[in-house]
Coordinates of all heavy atoms in Angstrom, one line a residue:
M17 N 0.9 -1.2 0.0 CA 0.0 0.0 0.0 C 0.9 1.2 0.0 O 1.9 1.3 0.7 CB -0.9 0.0 1.2 CG -2.0 1.1 1.2 SD -3.4 0.7 2.1 CE -2.9 0.3 3.7
S18 N 0.5 2.2 -0.8 CA 1.3 3.5 -0.8 C 1.1 4.2 0.5 O 0.1 4.0 1.2 CB 0.9 4.3 -2.0 OG -0.4 4.6 -1.9
K19 N 2.0 5.0 0.8 CA 2.0 5.8 2.0 C 0.9 6.9 2.0 O 1.0 7.8 1.1 CB 3.4 6.4 2.3 CG 3.5 6.7 3.7 CD 4.9 7.3 3.9 CE 5.0 8.0 5.3 NZ 6.1 9.0 5.5
L20 N 0.0 6.8 2.8 CA -1.1 7.8 2.8 C -1.0 8.6 4.1 O -0.6 8.1 5.2 CB -2.5 7.1 2.9 CG -2.8 6.3 1.6 CD1 -4.1 5.4 1.8 CD2 -3.1 7.2 0.4
I21 N -1.3 9.9 4.0 CA -1.4 10.7 5.1 C -2.8 11.3 5.1 O -3.4 11.6 4.0 CB -0.3 11.8 5.2 CG1 -0.4 12.8 4.0 CG2 1.0 11.2 5.3 CD1 0.4 14.0 4.2
C22 N -3.4 11.7 6.2 CA -4.6 12.3 6.3 C -4.6 13.6 5.6 O -3.7 14.4 5.8 CB -5.0 12.5 7.8 SG -6.6 13.4 8.0
Q23 N -5.6 13.9 4.7 CA -5.6 15.1 3.9 C -6.2 16.3 4.7 O -6.5 17.4 4.2 CB -6.3 14.9 2.6 CG -5.7 14.0 1.7 CD -4.3 14.5 1.2 OE1 -4.2 15.6 0.7 NE2 -3.3 13.7 1.3
S24 N -6.4 16.1 6.0 CA -6.9 17.2 6.9 C -5.7 17.5 7.9 O -5.5 18.7 8.1 CB -8.1 16.8 7.6 OG -8.5 17.7 8.6
C25 N -5.2 16.5 8.6 CA -4.3 16.8 9.7 C -2.9 16.2 9.5 O -2.0 16.4 10.3 CB -4.8 16.2 11.0 SG -4.8 14.4 11.1
A26 N -2.6 15.5 8.3 CA -1.3 15.0 7.9 C -0.8 13.9 8.7 O 0.3 13.5 8.7 CB -0.3 16.1 7.9
M27 N -1.7 13.2 9.6 CA -1.3 12.1 10.3 C -1.1 10.9 9.2 O -1.9 10.7 8.4 CB -2.4 11.7 11.3 CG -2.0 10.5 12.1 SD -3.3 9.9 13.2 CE -4.2 8.8 12.2
P28 N 0.1 10.2 9.4 CA 0.2 9.0 8.6 C -0.8 8.0 8.9 O -1.2 7.7 10.0 CB 1.6 8.5 9.0 CG 2.2 9.6 9.7 CD 1.1 10.4 10.3
M29 N -1.4 7.4 7.8 CA -2.4 6.3 8.0 C -1.8 5.1 7.5 O -1.7 4.8 6.2 CB -3.7 6.8 7.2 CG -4.2 8.1 7.6 SD -5.9 8.4 7.1 CE -5.7 8.4 5.3
V30 N -1.5 4.2 8.4 CA -0.9 2.9 8.0 C -1.8 1.7 8.2 O -1.7 0.7 7.5 CB 0.4 2.7 8.7 CG1 1.5 3.6 8.2 CG2 0.3 2.8 10.2
S31 N -2.7 1.8 9.2 CA -3.5 0.6 9.5 C -5.0 1.0 9.3 O -5.3 2.2 9.4 CB -3.3 0.0 10.8 OG -4.3 0.5 11.8
E32 N -5.9 0.1 8.9 CA -7.2 0.4 8.7 C -7.9 1.1 9.8 O -8.9 1.9 9.5 CB -8.0 -0.9 8.3 CG -7.7 -1.4 6.9 CD -8.7 -2.4 6.5 OE1 -9.7 -2.8 7.3 OE2 -8.7 -2.9 5.3
V33 N -7.6 0.8 11.0 CA -8.2 1.5 12.1 C -8.0 3.0 12.1 O -8.7 3.8 12.8 CB -7.9 0.9 13.5 CG1 -8.3 -0.5 13.6 CG2 -6.4 1.1 13.7
Q34 N -7.0 3.4 11.3 CA -6.7 4.9 11.3 C -7.4 5.6 10.2 O -7.4 6.8 10.2 CB -5.2 5.1 11.2 CG -4.4 4.6 12.4 CD -2.9 4.6 12.1 OE1 -2.4 4.1 11.1 NE2 -2.1 5.2 13.0
F35 N -8.1 4.9 9.3 CA -8.8 5.5 8.2 C -10.2 6.0 8.7 O -10.9 5.4 9.5 CB -9.0 4.5 7.1 CG -7.7 4.3 6.3 CD1 -6.7 3.4 6.8 CD2 -7.6 4.8 5.1 CE1 -5.6 3.2 6.1 CE2 -6.4 4.6 4.4 CZ -5.4 3.8 4.9
G36 N -10.6 7.1 8.2 CA -11.9 7.6 8.5 C -12.9 6.7 7.7 O -12.6 5.9 6.9
T37 N -14.2 7.0 7.9 CA -15.2 6.2 7.3 C -16.2 7.1 6.5 O -16.5 8.2 6.8 CB -16.1 5.4 8.3 OG1 -16.6 6.3 9.3 CG2 -15.3 4.3 8.9
Q38 N -16.7 6.5 5.4 CA -17.7 7.2 4.5 C -19.0 6.9 5.1 O -19.3 6.0 6.0 CB -17.5 6.6 3.1 CG -16.2 6.8 2.4 CD -15.9 8.2 2.1 OE1 -16.6 9.2 2.4 NE2 -14.7 8.4 1.4
L39 N -20.0 7.6 4.6 CA -21.4 7.4 5.0 C -21.9 5.9 4.9 O -22.6 5.4 5.7 CB -22.3 8.3 4.2 CG -23.7 8.6 4.8 CD1 -23.6 9.1 6.2 CD2 -24.5 9.6 3.9
D40 N -21.4 5.3 3.9 CA -21.8 3.9 3.6 C -20.9 2.8 4.4 O -21.1 1.7 4.3 CB -21.8 3.5 2.2 CG -20.4 3.6 1.6 OD1 -19.4 3.8 2.3 OD2 -20.2 3.5 0.4
G41 N -20.1 3.4 5.3 CA -19.2 2.5 6.1 C -17.9 2.1 5.5 O -17.1 1.4 6.2
S42 N -17.7 2.4 4.3 CA -16.4 2.1 3.6 C -15.3 3.1 4.1 O -15.7 4.1 4.7 CB -16.5 2.2 2.1 OG -16.8 3.5 1.7
L43 N -14.1 2.7 4.0 CA -12.9 3.5 4.5 C -12.7 4.7 3.6 O -12.6 4.5 2.4 CB -11.7 2.6 4.7 CG -11.9 1.5 5.7 CD1 -10.6 0.6 5.7 CD2 -12.1 2.1 7.1
S44 N -12.4 5.8 4.2 CA -11.9 6.9 3.4 C -10.4 6.8 3.2 O -9.7 6.5 4.1 CB -12.2 8.2 4.2 OG -11.5 9.3 3.5
Q45 N -10.0 7.0 1.9 CA -8.5 7.0 1.6 C -7.9 8.4 1.9 O -6.7 8.5 1.8 CB -8.3 6.6 0.2 CG -8.8 5.2 -0.2 CD -8.1 4.1 0.4 OE1 -6.9 4.0 0.2 NE2 -8.7 3.2 1.2
D46 N -8.8 9.4 2.2 CA -8.2 10.7 2.2 C -8.1 11.2 3.7 O -7.2 12.0 3.9 CB -9.2 11.7 1.5 CG -9.1 11.5 0.0 OD1 -8.1 11.1 -0.5 OD2 -10.1 11.8 -0.6
Y47 N -9.0 10.8 4.6 CA -9.0 11.4 5.9 C -8.9 10.3 7.0 O -9.4 9.2 6.9 CB -10.2 12.2 6.1 CG -10.4 13.3 5.0 CD1 -11.3 13.3 4.1 CD2 -9.5 14.3 5.1 CE1 -11.5 14.3 3.1 CE2 -9.5 15.4 4.1 CZ -10.5 15.4 3.2 OH -10.6 16.3 2.2
C48 N -8.3 10.7 8.1 CA -8.2 9.8 9.2 C -9.4 9.7 10.0 O -10.3 10.5 10.0 CB -6.9 10.1 10.0 SG -7.2 11.5 11.2
T49 N -9.4 8.6 11.0 CA -10.6 8.4 11.8 C -10.8 9.6 12.7 O -12.0 9.8 13.2 CB -10.4 7.1 12.5 OG1 -11.6 6.8 13.3 CG2 -9.2 7.1 13.4
Y50 N -9.8 10.3 13.1 CA -9.9 11.4 14.0 C -10.6 12.6 13.4 O -11.3 13.4 14.1 CB -8.6 11.8 14.6 CG -7.9 10.7 15.3 CD1 -6.8 10.1 14.7 CD2 -8.4 10.2 16.5 CE1 -6.1 9.1 15.4 CE2 -7.8 9.1 17.1 CZ -6.7 8.6 16.5 OH -6.0 7.5 17.1
C51 N -10.4 12.8 12.1 CA -10.9 13.9 11.3 C -12.3 13.6 10.7 O -13.1 14.5 10.5 CB -10.0 14.3 10.2 SG -8.4 15.0 10.9
Y52 N -12.5 12.4 10.3 CA -13.6 12.0 9.4 C -14.4 10.8 9.8 O -13.7 9.7 10.0 CB -13.0 11.9 8.0 CG -13.8 12.1 6.9 CD1 -14.4 13.3 6.5 CD2 -14.2 10.9 6.1 CE1 -15.2 13.5 5.4 CE2 -15.0 11.1 4.9 CZ -15.5 12.3 4.6 OH -16.2 12.5 3.5
Q53 N -15.6 10.9 10.1 CA -16.4 9.8 10.5 C -17.8 9.8 9.7 O -18.4 10.8 9.7 CB -16.8 9.8 12.0 CG -15.6 9.6 12.9 CD -15.3 8.1 13.1 OE1 -16.2 7.3 13.0 NE2 -14.1 7.8 13.3
E54 N -18.1 8.7 9.1 CA -19.4 8.5 8.4 C -19.7 9.7 7.4 O -20.8 10.3 7.3 CB -20.5 8.5 9.4 CG -20.4 7.2 10.2 CD -21.5 7.1 11.3 OE1 -22.2 8.1 11.5 OE2 -21.5 6.0 11.9
G55 N -18.6 10.1 6.7 CA -18.8 11.1 5.6 C -18.8 12.5 5.9 O -18.9 13.4 5.2
N56 N -18.5 12.7 7.3 CA -18.4 14.2 7.7 C -17.1 14.4 8.6 O -16.6 13.5 9.2 CB -19.6 14.5 8.6 CG -20.8 14.8 7.8 OD1 -20.9 15.6 6.9 ND2 -21.9 14.0 8.1
F57 N -16.6 15.6 8.5 CA -15.5 15.9 9.4 C -16.0 16.0 10.9 O -17.2 16.4 11.1 CB -15.0 17.3 9.0 CG -14.1 17.3 7.7 CD1 -14.6 18.0 6.6 CD2 -12.9 16.6 7.7 CE1 -13.9 17.9 5.4 CE2 -12.2 16.6 6.5 CZ -12.7 17.2 5.4
T58 N -15.2 15.5 11.8 CA -15.6 15.4 13.2 C -15.4 16.8 13.9 O -16.0 16.9 15.0 CB -14.8 14.4 14.0 OG1 -13.4 14.8 13.8 CG2 -14.9 13.0 13.4
D59 N -14.8 17.7 13.2 CA -14.6 19.0 13.8 C -15.3 20.0 13.0 O -15.9 19.8 11.9 CB -13.2 19.3 14.0 CG -12.5 19.3 12.6 OD1 -12.8 20.2 11.7 OD2 -11.5 18.5 12.3
E60 N -15.4 21.2 13.5 CA -16.2 22.3 12.9 C -15.1 23.3 12.4 O -15.5 24.5 12.1 CB -17.1 23.1 13.8 CG -18.1 22.1 14.5 CD -19.3 21.9 13.7 OE1 -19.9 22.9 13.3 OE2 -19.7 20.7 13.4
L61 N -13.9 22.9 12.2 CA -12.9 23.9 11.8 C -13.1 24.4 10.5 O -13.4 23.6 9.5 CB -11.5 23.2 11.8 CG -11.0 22.7 13.2 CD1 -9.7 22.0 13.1 CD2 -11.0 23.8 14.2
S62 N -13.0 25.7 10.3 CA -13.2 26.3 9.0 C -11.9 26.9 8.5 O -11.9 27.3 7.3 CB -14.3 27.3 9.0 OG -14.0 28.3 10.0
N63 N -11.0 27.0 9.3 CA -9.7 27.6 8.7 C -8.4 26.8 9.3 O -8.4 26.2 10.3 CB -9.6 29.1 9.0 CG -9.4 29.4 10.5 OD1 -8.3 29.2 11.0 ND2 -10.4 29.8 11.2
L64 N -7.4 27.0 8.5 CA -6.2 26.3 8.6 C -5.5 26.7 10.0 O -4.9 25.8 10.6 CB -5.2 26.6 7.4 CG -3.9 25.9 7.3 CD1 -4.1 24.4 7.5 CD2 -3.3 26.3 6.0
D65 N -5.6 27.9 10.3 CA -4.9 28.4 11.6 C -5.3 27.6 12.8 O -4.6 27.2 13.6 CB -5.1 29.9 11.8 CG -4.4 30.8 10.8 OD1 -3.5 30.2 10.2 OD2 -4.7 31.9 10.7
D66 N -6.7 27.3 12.9 CA -7.2 26.6 14.0 C -6.7 25.1 14.0 O -6.3 24.6 15.0 CB -8.7 26.6 14.0 CG -9.3 27.9 14.3 OD1 -8.5 28.7 14.9 OD2 -10.5 28.2 14.1
M67 N -6.6 24.6 12.8 CA -6.1 23.2 12.6 C -4.6 23.2 13.1 O -4.2 22.2 13.8 CB -6.3 22.7 11.2 CG -5.8 21.3 11.0 SD -6.5 20.1 12.2 CE -7.6 19.2 11.1
I68 N -3.9 24.1 12.7 CA -2.4 24.2 13.1 C -2.3 24.3 14.5 O -1.4 23.6 15.1 CB -1.7 25.3 12.3 CG1 -1.5 25.0 10.9 CG2 -0.3 25.6 13.0 CD1 -0.9 26.0 10.0
K69 N -3.1 25.1 15.2 CA -3.0 25.2 16.6 C -3.3 23.9 17.4 O -2.6 23.4 18.3 CB -4.1 26.3 17.1 CG -3.6 27.7 17.1 CD -4.6 28.6 17.6 CE -4.5 29.9 17.0 NZ -5.8 30.8 16.8
I70 N -4.3 23.2 16.9 CA -4.7 21.9 17.5 C -3.6 20.9 17.3 O -3.3 20.1 18.2 CB -6.1 21.4 17.0 CG1 -7.2 22.3 17.5 CG2 -6.3 19.9 17.3 CD1 -8.5 22.1 16.8
C71 N -3.1 20.8 16.1 CA -2.0 19.8 15.7 C -0.8 20.2 16.5 O -0.1 19.2 16.9 CB -1.8 19.8 14.3 SG -3.1 19.1 13.3
T72 N -0.5 21.3 16.7 CA 0.7 21.8 17.4 C 0.6 21.3 18.9 O 1.6 20.6 19.4 CB 0.9 23.3 17.5 OG1 0.9 23.8 16.1 CG2 2.1 23.7 18.2
V73 N -0.5 21.5 19.5 CA -0.6 20.9 20.9 C -0.4 19.4 20.9 O 0.3 18.9 21.8 CB -2.1 21.3 21.5 CG1 -2.4 20.6 22.7 CG2 -2.3 22.8 21.6
H74 N -1.0 18.7 19.9 CA -0.9 17.3 19.8 C 0.6 16.9 19.7 O 1.1 16.0 20.4 CB -1.7 16.8 18.7 CG -1.8 15.3 18.7 ND1 -2.5 14.6 19.6 CD2 -1.3 14.4 17.8 CE1 -2.4 13.3 19.2 NE2 -1.7 13.2 18.2
M75 N 1.3 17.5 18.8 CA 2.7 17.1 18.5 C 3.6 17.5 19.7 O 4.6 16.8 20.0 CB 3.2 17.9 17.2 CG 2.5 17.2 16.0 SD 2.7 18.2 14.5 CE 4.3 17.8 13.9
V76 N 3.4 18.7 20.3 CA 4.2 19.0 21.5 C 4.0 18.0 22.6 O 4.9 17.6 23.3 CB 3.8 20.5 21.9 CG1 4.4 20.8 23.4 CG2 4.3 21.5 20.9
S77 N 2.7 17.5 22.8 CA 2.5 16.5 23.8 C 3.2 15.3 23.5 O 3.3 14.4 24.4 CB 0.9 16.3 24.0 OG 0.4 15.5 22.9
E78 N 3.5 15.0 22.3 CA 4.3 13.8 21.9 C 5.8 14.1 22.0 O 6.6 13.3 21.5 CB 3.9 13.3 20.5 CG 2.5 12.7 20.6 CD 2.1 12.0 19.3 OE1 2.8 12.3 18.3 OE2 1.2 11.3 19.3
G79 N 6.2 15.2 22.5 CA 7.6 15.5 22.7 C 8.3 16.4 21.7 O 9.5 16.6 21.8
M80 N 7.6 16.9 20.8 CA 8.2 17.7 19.8 C 8.3 19.2 20.2 O 7.5 19.7 21.0 CB 7.4 17.7 18.4 CG 8.2 18.4 17.3 SD 7.3 18.2 15.7 CE 7.8 16.5 15.2
N81 N 9.4 19.8 19.8 CA 9.6 21.2 20.1 C 8.5 22.0 19.4 O 8.1 21.8 18.3 CB 11.0 21.6 19.5 CG 11.3 23.1 19.6 OD1 10.6 23.9 18.9 ND2 12.2 23.4 20.4
Q82 N 7.9 23.0 20.1 CA 6.8 23.7 19.6 C 7.1 24.4 18.2 O 6.3 24.5 17.3 CB 6.2 24.8 20.6 CG 5.0 25.5 20.1 CD 4.3 26.3 21.2 OE1 4.3 25.8 22.3 NE2 3.8 27.4 20.9
E83 N 8.2 25.1 18.2 CA 8.6 25.8 17.0 C 8.7 24.9 15.8 O 8.3 25.2 14.7 CB 9.9 26.6 17.1 CG 9.8 28.1 17.1 CD 11.1 28.7 17.4 OE1 12.0 28.6 16.6 OE2 11.1 29.4 18.5
D84 N 9.3 23.7 16.0 CA 9.5 22.7 14.9 C 8.1 22.2 14.5 O 7.9 22.1 13.3 CB 10.2 21.5 15.5 CG 11.8 21.8 15.7 OD1 12.1 22.9 15.2 OD2 12.5 21.0 16.3
A85 N 7.2 22.0 15.5 CA 5.9 21.5 15.1 C 5.2 22.5 14.2 O 4.6 22.2 13.2 CB 5.1 21.3 16.4
I86 N 5.2 23.8 14.6 CA 4.6 24.8 13.8 C 5.1 24.9 12.4 O 4.4 25.1 11.4 CB 4.6 26.2 14.6 CG1 3.7 26.1 15.8 CG2 4.2 27.3 13.6 CD1 3.9 27.3 16.8
N87 N 6.5 24.8 12.4 CA 7.2 24.9 11.0 C 6.7 23.7 10.2 O 6.4 23.9 9.0 CB 8.7 24.8 11.2 CG 9.3 26.1 11.4 OD1 8.6 27.2 11.1 ND2 10.4 26.2 12.1
I88 N 6.7 22.5 10.6 CA 6.3 21.4 9.9 C 4.8 21.5 9.4 O 4.5 21.3 8.3 CB 6.4 20.0 10.7 CG1 7.9 19.8 10.9 CG2 5.7 18.9 10.1 CD1 8.3 18.7 12.0
L89 N 4.0 21.9 10.4 CA 2.5 22.0 10.0 C 2.3 23.1 9.0 O 1.5 23.0 8.0 CB 1.8 22.3 11.3 CG 1.7 21.1 12.2 CD1 1.2 21.6 13.6 CD2 0.8 20.0 11.7
N90 N 3.0 24.2 9.1 CA 2.9 25.3 8.1 C 3.4 24.9 6.7 O 2.9 25.4 5.7 CB 3.7 26.6 8.6 CG 2.8 27.4 9.4 OD1 1.6 27.6 9.3 ND2 3.5 28.0 10.4
N91 N 4.3 23.9 6.7 CA 4.8 23.5 5.4 C 4.0 22.4 4.8 O 4.0 22.1 3.6 CB 6.2 23.0 5.6 CG 7.2 24.1 5.7 OD1 7.0 25.1 5.0 ND2 8.3 24.0 6.5
T92 N 3.3 21.6 5.6 CA 2.5 20.4 5.2 C 1.0 20.7 5.0 O 0.5 20.4 3.9 CB 2.7 19.4 6.3 OG1 4.0 19.2 6.6 CG2 2.1 18.0 5.7
L93 N 0.3 21.3 6.0 CA -1.0 21.3 5.9 C -1.6 22.1 4.7 O -2.7 21.7 4.2 CB -1.7 21.9 7.3 CG -1.4 21.0 8.5 CD1 -2.3 21.5 9.6 CD2 -1.7 19.6 8.2
P94 N -1.0 23.2 4.3 CA -1.6 24.0 3.2 C -1.6 23.2 2.0 O -2.4 23.6 1.0 CB -0.7 25.3 3.1 CG 0.0 25.4 4.5 CD 0.1 24.0 4.9
N95 N -0.8 22.1 1.8 CA -0.8 21.4 0.6 C -1.8 20.2 0.6 O -2.0 19.6 -0.3 CB 0.6 20.7 0.4 CG 1.6 21.8 0.2 OD1 1.4 22.7 -0.5 ND2 2.7 21.7 0.8
L96 N -2.5 20.1 1.7 CA -3.4 18.9 1.8 C -4.7 19.3 1.1 O -5.2 20.5 1.1 CB -3.7 18.5 3.3 CG -2.4 18.1 4.0 CD1 -2.8 17.8 5.4 CD2 -1.8 16.9 3.3
K97 N -5.5 18.2 0.7 CA -6.7 18.4 0.0 C -7.7 19.4 0.7 O -8.3 20.3 0.1 CB -7.3 17.1 -0.3 CG -8.5 17.1 -1.2 CD -9.2 15.8 -1.3 CE -8.5 14.8 -2.2 NZ -9.3 13.6 -2.4
R98 N -7.9 19.2 2.0 CA -8.9 19.9 2.7 C -8.6 21.5 2.7 O -9.5 22.3 2.8 CB -9.0 19.4 4.1 CG -10.1 20.0 4.9 CD -10.3 19.5 6.3 NE -11.4 20.1 7.0 CZ -11.7 20.0 8.3 NH1 -10.9 19.2 9.0 NH2 -12.7 20.6 8.8
W99 N -7.3 21.8 2.7 CA -6.9 23.2 3.0 C -6.4 23.9 1.8 O -6.2 25.1 1.8 CB -5.8 23.2 4.1 CG -6.3 22.5 5.3 CD1 -5.7 21.3 5.8 CD2 -7.3 22.8 6.2 NE1 -6.3 20.9 6.9 CE2 -7.3 21.8 7.2 CE3 -8.2 23.8 6.3 CZ2 -8.2 21.8 8.3 CZ3 -9.1 23.9 7.4 CH2 -9.1 22.8 8.4
K100 N -6.2 23.2 0.7 CA -5.8 23.8 -0.5 C -6.8 25.0 -0.9 O -8.0 24.8 -0.8 CB -5.8 22.8 -1.6 CG -4.4 22.3 -1.9 CD -4.3 21.5 -3.2 CE -3.0 20.9 -3.3 NZ -2.9 19.7 -4.1
V101 N -6.2 26.1 -1.3 CA -7.1 27.2 -1.8 C -7.7 26.7 -3.0 O -7.1 26.3 -4.0 CB -6.3 28.4 -2.0 CG1 -7.1 29.6 -2.4 CG2 -5.5 28.7 -0.7
K102 N -9.0 26.9 -3.0 CA -9.8 26.5 -4.2 C -9.7 27.4 -5.4 O -9.6 28.6 -5.1 CB -11.3 26.3 -3.8 CG -11.4 25.0 -3.0 CD -12.8 25.0 -2.2 CE -12.7 24.0 -1.1 NZ -12.9 24.6 0.2
Ligands
ZN271 ZN1 -6.8 13.6 10.2

């Protein structure tokens, strides 16, 4: 399987339990289970800044330096499907 990352939060998705679900119960290839359930986003986030803040907290809690986390997220998230400027 090719390497997939969530197109909302950039989390690597390697096992099926990490995949979000579509309305019909099938797995989403685009979004992770934390972001996407039964065809809808689990959060009400409407902008990238809020997503970066939430992801930063998560990455810092896993031991990453805050500045590094913000840099990585700023470089990664804007390229994802959910946040790409239409
Ligand atoms: Zn996600």
Side-chain angles (χ1 to χ4, degrees):
M17 189 155 51
S18 61
K19 200 179 167 201
L20 293 169
I21 62 169
C22 173
Q23 294 296 308
S24 170
C25 71
M27 184 183 87
M29 303 196 297
V30 289
S31 100
E32 280 195 1
V33 297
Q34 293 171 313
F35 287 75
T37 53
Q38 304 287 5
L39 197 55
D40 64 6
S42 63
L43 295 175
S44 169
Q45 301 289 304
D46 288 332
Y47 302 112
C48 76
T49 183
Y50 303 109
C51 291
Y52 201 70
Q53 290 279 330
E54 297 177 352
N56 283 302
F57 288 109
T58 58
D59 57 61
E60 305 274 308
L61 298 177
S62 55
N63 70 74
L64 183 55
D65 288 344
D66 288 345
M67 180 54 106
I68 288 176
K69 274 180 210 151
I70 290 169
C71 290
T72 301
V73 171
H74 188 69
M75 288 164 85
V76 168
S77 77
E78 289 187 345
M80 189 174 282
N81 176 293
Q82 181 165 326
E83 246 173 65
D84 290 346
I86 291 170
N87 275 333
I88 290 169
L89 292 164
N90 272 324
N91 283 323
T92 309
L93 296 193
N95 295 316
L96 300 178
K97 191 189 276 187
R98 184 176 180 189
W99 307 112
K100 260 190 187 156
V101 182
K102 288 165 197 115

